Amino acid sequence: DEVPKNLTRAYELFRTAAELGLDPDSLFNAAHCQLHGLGTDQNRTAAMDLYLAAAHGHGYFRAIHAVGTLRLHDWTLGGQAP
């Protein structure tokens, strides 16, 4: 018995939790959804803001890595995805 995928609902839940700012996993997951347009419109700027909140606010390594990778590839400015 598989649970059906619902990317829109997943994004909504990640985003709601991210808005509380208490959980770096939620910030990271909401950023990932926005970066790749999973369950929401693609928004690179908003994704970077969420990655930065997780990186600066929580020292979350995966977000720090994502910020560095995106900046390296200038992806938020329209470069190619890493």
Side-chain angles (χ1 to χ4, degrees):
D1 293 329
E2 283 189 34
V3 175
K5 283 186 183 180
N6 185 334
L7 293 176
T8 301
R9 183 69 177 137
Y11 169 73
E12 289 170 357
L13 293 171
F14 289 141
R15 185 65 196 197
T16 298
E19 287 172 0
L20 297 174
L22 302 174
D23 177 34
D25 286 310
S26 296
L27 289 163
F28 180 87
N29 291 332
H32 179 81
C33 289
Q34 287 194 312
L35 185 67
H36 297 286
L38 302 172
T40 187
D41 293 332
Q42 186 179 48
N43 185 332
R44 295 173 175 179
T45 302
M48 181 61 89
D49 290 344
L50 290 168
Y51 282 134
L52 287 169
H56 289 296
H58 300 278
Y60 193 62
F61 181 77
R62 290 176 67 196
I64 294 166
H65 182 264
V67 168
T69 300
L70 293 173
R71 285 184 174 164
L72 176 68
H73 295 282
D74 289 329
W75 202 37
T76 55
L77 302 175
Q80 294 298 311

